[in-house]
């Protein structure tokens, strides 16, 4: 969903060996790690909230760059 919504792509990342990450809006995300945390019952973790928050995360990262 994040790929389609934010024109992202699947990428490989050293923090996620063996599982793809996503790159969208200049942000790298780890949806499989997030899904595992949600399935383990960690409160307030969901893929839907990640997709919804991605634009705000990207905008803040851009503002915080020197």
């Amino acid at each position: 969903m994040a790929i389609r919504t934010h024109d992202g792509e699947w990428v490989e990342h050293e923090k996620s060996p063996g599982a793809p990450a996503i790159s969208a809006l200049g942000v790298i995300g780890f949806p499989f790690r997030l899904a595992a945390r949600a399935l383990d019952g960690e409160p307030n973790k969901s893929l839907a909230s990640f997709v919804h928050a991605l634009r705000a995360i990207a905008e803040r990262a851009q503002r915080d760059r020197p």
Side-chain angles (χ1 to χ4, degrees), residues 1 3 18 23-25 39 48 50 54:
M1 177 72 108
I3 290 174
S23 175
L25 302 173
L39 290 170
F50 170 73
L54 191 58

Side-chain angles (χ1 to χ4, degrees), residues 1-12:
M1 177 72 108
I3 290 174
R4 185 178 330 130
T5 302
H6 299 299
D7 195 29
E9 63 182 340
W10 291 106
V11 297
E12 292 184 23

Side-chain angles (χ1 to χ4, degrees), residues 34-64:
L34 179 61
R37 291 169 67 182
L39 290 170
D40 283 343
E42 189 171 331
N44 304 314
K45 296 294 178 198
S46 76
L47 292 172
S49 64
F50 170 73
V51 172
H52 181 72
L54 191 58
R55 184 168 305 281
I57 293 167
E59 288 172 357
R60 181 170 183 171
Q62 196 168 34
R63 278 195 315 265
D64 292 346

